[in-house]
Amino acid sequence: RNSQFGSSNTGLAGYGLQLSPNWRANASVGTTFVIPSFLELYDPYGPNPALRPERGINREVGLTWSQGSQQVKVTYFDNRIRDMLQYNLDTSMTENVGQARIDGVSTAWKGTFGALSLRGTVDLLDPRDESNGSQLARRAKQVATLGADWQAGAWRYGGVVLHTGQRYSKPTNVERLPAYTTLDLYAQWQFAANLSLQAKLNNVTDKFYETAYGYNQQGRALYLTVRWQPK
C-alpha cells in the first residue's frame, strides 16, 4: 500500500520436478511492483513528479544436471516490464519505458575437485525497449563470471573474473560504454574458531571502466578485514 500510488498485490509460484537422480526441471512465474523513489520524483536537479510505478511479470524455466560435486543449470527467462524506471542522461531525469522486455538464457556451473572449488556463469540476454527495439540503457547483452577458491588448512585463497559486454549510457543508444573485464583476488586466514583475517585486492589490473558515462569506477584497491563470526 502506498499513499501516492495506491495498492498492488504481487506473487510468485514455482514448481520443481526430479526427472531422474541426475536431472531436475523447474518453472516459475512472478509479478513485481516498484514505486519511484523520492529523489526520482522530486530531485531538485532532475525531478519527474509524473513518474508511474513499474509493474512486471517474470517467467522462467530451467533444467539442472547434478552428479557428485558437479552441477550445471540452464535457465530461460522472460521479464516483461510496463513503465520501467530508467534514467535518461539527455533529460537528466528518470523516465518510464512504456514496454520493456529482458529475455535470454543463463548458464551456471559449479564443481569441487578436492580442495579446489570452481564456479562460472554466462548470461546472454536481450534488454530492449519494445516500442523501438533499442537496447535498455546501461544494460549489457553478455555478462560472464569465473571464480575459484582453494582451501589449505586455515588458509583460503580465491578470485573472481567478471566480464561485462558493451552497453549504452542513453536510451537513444549513443555514448557507447565499452566492454570490460576485471579480476579480484583474496586470501583469508582463519586464525581462531570465530576470527578470520582477509586481504582482498579488487581490480588487480587497475582496469579503467565506466558503468555510467562520465563516472569512472574505482581502480586497484586493497582491503584488509578482520571478521568475527560467533558460533
Side-chain angles (χ1 to χ4, degrees):
R1 297 179 59 186
N2 182 273
S3 59
Q4 184 171 355
F5 296 105
S7 300
S8 178
N9 295 319
T10 60
L12 172 68
Y15 186 76
L17 178 64
Q18 195 73 40
L19 303 174
S20 73
N22 300 109
W23 293 93
R24 178 179 175 84
N26 67 278
S28 66
V29 60
T31 57
T32 60
F33 177 74
V34 181
I35 63 171
S37 69
F38 182 84
L39 281 178
E40 289 171 331
L41 290 165
Y42 307 117
D43 184 343
Y45 301 103
N48 188 356
L51 284 174
R52 300 177 298 277
E54 175 183 298
R55 303 172 188 268
I57 181 167
N58 315 312
R59 305 177 181 90
E60 68 174 46
V61 292
L63 190 63
T64 303
W65 173 84
S66 302
Q67 183 169 324
S69 62
Q70 312 294 310
Q71 185 183 87
V72 178
K73 183 174 183 178
V74 179
T75 304
Y76 170 76
F77 55 89
D78 186 0
N79 303 333
R80 305 188 185 199
I81 308 164
R82 186 171 81 247
D83 292 328
M84 179 179 176
L85 299 167
Q86 178 177 255
Y87 186 76
N88 189 341
L89 273 175
D90 285 328
T91 59
S92 298
M93 66 174 62
T94 300
E95 299 174 348
N96 290 113
V97 178
Q99 294 290 339
R101 186 175 180 181
I102 305 172
D103 59 343
V105 176
S106 177
T107 303
W109 168 78
K110 62 181 180 179
T112 302
F113 307 88
L116 177 65
S117 297
L118 298 174
R119 62 193 181 279
T121 63
V122 176
D123 295 337
L124 303 176
L125 57 152
D126 186 9
R128 62 192 183 276
D129 182 339
E130 290 275 74
S131 66
N132 55 26
S134 63
Q135 187 172 333
L136 294 175
R138 303 180 185 177
R139 292 177 181 265
K141 291 188 175 184
Q142 307 89 23
V143 179
T145 64
L146 179 63
D149 298 283
W150 176 273
Q151 185 77 45
W155 288 87
R156 189 175 182 88
Y157 311 92
V160 176
V161 176
L162 167 67
H163 174 77
T164 301
Q166 75 166 35
R167 294 134 293 126
Y168 292 98
S169 191
K170 297 180 179 180
T172 51
N173 286 184
V174 297
E175 291 179 349
R176 185 175 65 90
L177 299 171
Y180 65 89
T181 302
T182 58
L183 170 65
D184 300 337
L185 298 174
Y186 80 90
Q188 181 170 305
W189 176 36
Q190 191 76 38
F191 62 91
N194 300 329
L195 290 167
S196 64
L197 174 66
Q198 184 186 80
K200 187 175 184 181
L201 186 61
N202 285 351
N203 196 0
V204 174
T205 61
D206 201 24
K207 176 70 175 179
F208 171 83
Y209 68 99
E210 298 171 309
T211 56
Y213 184 79
Y215 291 85
N216 303 339
Q217 295 304 297
Q218 189 176 54
R220 186 184 299 114
L222 175 65
Y223 298 90
L224 296 176
T225 305
V226 177
R227 184 176 291 110
W228 175 52
Q229 292 179 300
K231 299 180 181 179

